[in-house]
């Protein structure tokens, strides 16, 4: 399948660049912070607060996997972004600390969740979370998720009309040799969780799903893969079972993605429109925003980054109550970049 998928990805990348029927206007862009007391940053997440402000989080430290890597947040109001604030660490005792990883913010029922991972590596990490009832001004003590539950692994959960939370997750086992995706479902607003496997007998390596709800109520998940293309799967029963993987129209150089359904019924996806290379960072020097009316056929509508070298990766995207689009992503592992958009036609 791989050679065929690469050809498809290249074909659709060329086809989509030529289409620009839907347009989005950039209202604001820049870095969340200019200076910080950590040199490296990665894996951002963004959420709208109850008062209409924004909050972003990411992990920062000396470098990924270093024991000093911690979770930081910044809040945005009409005056701009606040200075980064350390809100979670992997501190165990005076002689032992583990790195933290991949925070995910999720606001529901007047409670803001901050999910994250703690541990030496993605093969050995465990899930933790904190909550806030005052828009991220302060946080609860750290709570560990049950054994086998990791929390959303990179991208935000989705909440259905019946209150069910479907959280996209995955595992990287045997030092990354085995990748499996799964969903974690809560029917009591995050008090308890159960795990739903997604095609774990598949020959393809997939992680870090992102979920949207289609116009007919079905769920569609998109997956980072080792196939040079974003893979996808459907659920017709609110996340209980999932279809076999199939290839989407979007390229994927083994890198993170994120998608959102818009209030007008359309969909947006942030992704790296390239094939993978010899090194894990290859294919991450370009970052595009794509639009779809049906979450199946996509057109590129904005080039967020278009460089020959560099890493622009791990995007997060939401739509605020006022209709504006907010995107964050890793900028060369040094900073977190931010875009604010609106549809202009």
């Amino acid at each position: 399948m791989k050679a065929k998928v690469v050809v498809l990805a290249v074909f659709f990348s060329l086809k989509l660049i030529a289409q620009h029927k839907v347009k989005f206007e950039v209202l604001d862009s820049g870095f969340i912070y200019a200076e910080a007391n950590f040199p490296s940053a990665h894996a951002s997440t963004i959420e709208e607060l109850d008062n209409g402000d924004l909050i972003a989080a990411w992990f920062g430290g000396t470098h990924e996997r270093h024991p000093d890597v911690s979770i930081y947040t910044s809040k945005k109001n009409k005056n701009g972004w606040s200075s980064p604030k350390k809100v979670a660490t992997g501190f165990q005792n005076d002689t032992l600390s583990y790195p933290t990883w991949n925070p995910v913010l999720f606001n529901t029922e007047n409670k803001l969740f901050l999910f994250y991972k703690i541990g030496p590596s993605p093969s050995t990490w465990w899930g933790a979370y904190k909550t806030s009832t005052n828009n991220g001004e302060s946080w609860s003590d750290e709570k560990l998720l049950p054994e086998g539950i990791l929390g959303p692994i990179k991208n935000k959960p989705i909440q259905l009309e019946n209150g069910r939370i479907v959280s996209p997750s995955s595992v990287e086992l045997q030092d990354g040799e085995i990748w499996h995706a799964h969903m974690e479902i809560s029917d009591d607003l995050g008090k308890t969780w159960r795990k739903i496997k997604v095609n774990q007998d598949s020959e393809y390596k997939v992680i870090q799903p992102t979920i949207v709800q289609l116009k007919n109520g079905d769920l569609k998940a998109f997956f980072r893969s080792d196939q040079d293309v974003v893979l996808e799967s459907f659920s017709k029963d609110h996340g209980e079972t999932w279809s076999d993987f199939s290839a989407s129209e979007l390229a994927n150089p083994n890198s993170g993605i994120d998608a959102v359904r818009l209030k007008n019924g359309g969909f947006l996806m942030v992704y790296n429109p390239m094939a993978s290379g010899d090194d894990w960072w290859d294919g991450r020097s370009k970052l595009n925003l794509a639009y779809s009316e049906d979450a199946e056929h996509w057109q590129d509508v904005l080039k967020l980054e278009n460089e020959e070298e560099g890493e622009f990766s791990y995007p997060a995207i939401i739509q605020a109550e006022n209709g504006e689009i907010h995107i964050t992503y890793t900028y060369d592992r040094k900073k977190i970049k931010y875009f604010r958009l609106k549809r202009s036609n």
Side-chain angles (χ1 to χ4, degrees):
M1 175 179 174
K2 186 165 185 176
K4 181 179 180 182
V5 164
V6 172
V7 172
L8 282 173
V10 172
F11 169 77
F12 281 118
S13 291
L14 292 173
K15 177 183 177 183
L16 296 180
I17 290 293
Q19 301 178 12
H20 287 284
K21 295 179 181 179
V22 179
K23 296 182 180 180
F24 287 82
E25 177 186 353
V26 176
L27 302 175
D28 186 19
S29 67
F31 297 112
I32 288 182
Y33 58 88
E35 296 182 356
N37 60 0
F38 47 86
S40 179
H42 190 41
S44 64
T45 176
I46 188 168
E47 182 61 288
E48 185 177 20
L49 298 170
D50 294 336
N51 62 3
D53 291 347
L54 299 173
I55 184 169
W58 62 90
F59 70 74
T62 299
H63 56 74
E64 184 174 307
R65 296 179 183 247
H66 193 284
D68 69 6
V69 172
S70 304
I71 306 299
Y72 292 83
T73 62
S74 178
K75 295 172 65 176
K76 184 180 187 297
N77 59 25
K78 61 182 180 180
N79 297 318
W81 289 99
S82 63
S83 298
K85 178 181 178 182
K86 185 187 295 187
V87 298
T89 72
F91 177 84
Q92 306 296 303
N93 56 53
D94 289 341
T95 60
L96 179 63
S97 186
Y98 293 116
T100 56
W101 310 73
N102 295 19
V104 177
L105 291 160
F106 180 61
N107 198 3
T108 180
E109 298 292 325
N110 298 315
K111 181 183 289 186
L112 179 65
F113 283 85
L114 173 65
F115 296 97
Y116 55 101
K117 275 61 66 184
I118 306 171
S121 71
S123 293
T124 57
W125 64 22
W126 55 93
Y129 70 98
K130 293 186 176 187
T131 59
S132 174
T133 56
N134 58 4
N135 287 322
E137 286 298 311
S138 61
W139 295 90
S140 70
D141 291 338
E142 176 184 290
K143 300 177 183 178
L144 297 183
L145 288 161
E147 185 175 356
I149 300 295
L150 291 172
I153 216 68
K154 174 197 171 294
N155 297 315
K156 56 194 174 297
I158 186 171
Q159 188 164 22
L160 309 182
E161 286 187 4
N162 64 4
R164 168 173 289 185
I165 298 171
V166 184
S167 175
S169 196
S170 58
V171 294
E172 303 174 45
L173 307 176
Q174 298 181 16
D175 290 326
E177 291 298 314
I178 297 174
W179 288 3
H180 288 312
H182 66 270
M183 304 297 172
E184 295 171 356
I185 290 179
S186 176
D187 289 309
D188 54 12
L189 299 178
K191 295 177 183 177
T192 61
W193 297 89
R194 54 192 177 89
K195 183 176 179 178
I196 302 294
K197 295 181 179 180
V198 180
N199 300 329
Q200 296 201 355
D201 58 349
S202 170
E203 63 181 300
Y204 309 124
K205 295 173 66 174
V206 300
I207 53 172
Q208 299 172 355
T210 180
I211 311 170
V212 296
Q213 187 167 31
L214 303 180
K215 296 172 186 178
N216 65 0
D218 292 349
L219 301 182
K220 188 172 187 179
F222 300 91
F223 303 81
R224 169 183 172 178
S225 83
D226 69 340
Q227 295 294 300
D228 281 334
V229 69
V230 172
L231 295 182
E232 56 188 35
S233 176
F234 294 88
S235 175
K236 296 181 177 296
D237 52 14
H238 307 297
E240 296 288 348
T241 60
W242 293 84
S243 67
D244 292 341
F245 295 127
S246 59
S248 75
E249 291 185 352
L250 298 172
N252 183 244
N254 191 1
S255 60
I257 57 174
D258 197 18
V260 68
R261 178 179 173 176
L262 303 177
K263 298 179 186 300
N264 70 355
F267 303 85
L268 287 173
M269 174 86 74
V270 190
Y271 75 110
N272 298 107
M274 303 176 70
S276 58
D278 294 334
D279 294 310
W280 61 262
W281 59 81
D282 288 339
R284 299 184 180 189
S285 63
K286 303 179 189 302
L287 189 68
N288 281 10
L289 178 68
Y291 175 81
S292 174
E293 289 286 350
D294 56 9
E296 181 178 0
H297 302 294
W298 298 87
Q299 58 171 306
D300 284 337
V301 292
L302 184 65
K303 294 180 180 181
L304 299 168
E305 299 290 345
N306 187 29
E307 303 295 335
E308 292 302 314
E309 297 181 351
E311 183 191 351
F312 314 110
S313 63
Y314 273 57
I317 183 171
I318 61 169
Q319 184 177 33
E321 285 296 319
N322 66 2
E324 293 180 348
I325 310 301
H326 302 278
I327 300 170
T328 61
Y329 56 90
T330 297
Y331 189 92
D332 261 344
R333 295 279 174 143
K334 297 176 182 178
K335 293 182 179 180
I336 303 300
K337 196 166 182 180
Y338 164 74
F339 270 82
R340 180 169 64 97
L341 316 169
K342 72 172 182 178
R343 183 168 174 173
S344 58
N345 68 340

